[in-house]
Amino acid sequence: VAAVLIGTDRLYRFAHENQEVELYPVSYTHDILTLSRLENLVSINSALQIDIWGQINAEMVGGVQISGVGGQVDFVRGASRAPGGKSVIALLSTAGNGKYSRIVPCLEPGAPVTTTRAEAHYVATEYGIADLRGKTLSQRAQALASIAHPDFRRELERAGQASP
């Protein structure tokens, strides 16, 4: 089941008149009620930045629009309501060839919060997974610092200690 197919001629030949491939409008595939009925749904979305409290920015960097909201919020909410569902935000720990941490003390001024900290569940980088659900702000900061690039952990730990 998908809303869109984009790919090669091989994909299009596979999908053409294939009864195992179903295309529906986004109003169905991204509907929170539809998603919440799918047992063990795991949604995996990306992010550009996440602050130490778990606010997720998937849209802008340095005041430049990189992406849109897309279905992130729909799938985060749908997976969190699905029986056995899990929502994962996956991102590389750094940007700019390692110059910048994607896990930051706070989002840049003007950066949008695509997914709120209240809805963030799992966050994954190449250094591990942080489970944010049910954590205090300082516990969230500690968990996120632990999956940040080692070059930025100390700064994030200090910022987290200043958290309420």
Side-chain angles (χ1 to χ4, degrees):
V1 173
V4 177
L5 287 177
I6 300 174
T8 63
D9 285 339
R10 182 177 175 205
L11 171 66
Y12 299 137
R13 284 193 303 275
F14 170 79
H16 183 68
E17 296 183 12
N18 184 336
Q19 293 186 358
E20 293 184 15
V21 176
E22 297 180 39
L23 295 175
Y24 291 94
V26 171
S27 61
Y28 174 79
T29 61
H30 290 52
D31 181 73
I32 294 168
L33 291 175
T34 299
L35 296 168
S36 69
R37 291 184 189 111
L38 301 173
E39 288 189 30
N40 301 314
L41 173 64
V42 176
S43 73
I44 302 173
N45 289 280
S46 64
L48 298 170
Q49 274 186 330
I50 182 168
D51 73 14
I52 59 171
W53 294 345
Q55 296 183 117
I56 298 159
N57 167 14
E59 302 170 62
M60 294 179 85
V61 173
V64 177
Q65 187 84 31
I66 304 293
S67 183
V69 174
Q72 183 172 112
V73 176
D74 301 323
F75 279 87
V76 165
R77 289 177 180 167
S80 71
R81 287 164 179 77
K86 293 174 178 47
S87 170
V88 178
I89 300 295
L91 69 161
L92 290 172
S93 64
T94 63
N97 294 320
K99 280 177 34 177
Y100 308 103
S101 180
R102 289 179 181 254
I103 300 173
V104 296
C106 66
L107 297 180
E108 301 172 350
V113 175
T114 309
T115 298
T116 68
R117 67 182 187 183
E119 295 176 303
H121 191 176
Y122 293 105
V123 178
T125 72
E126 67 273 30
Y127 293 101
I129 300 169
D131 180 353
L132 303 182
R133 184 74 39 96
K135 301 271 193 305
T136 65
L137 294 179
S138 60
Q139 289 170 332
R140 286 166 165 263
Q142 183 179 10
L144 287 165
S146 76
I147 64 166
H149 188 283
D151 291 349
F152 299 98
R153 286 183 188 163
R154 181 164 280 144
E155 171 194 355
L156 294 167
E157 288 166 355
R158 280 194 299 266
Q161 290 169 352
S163 295

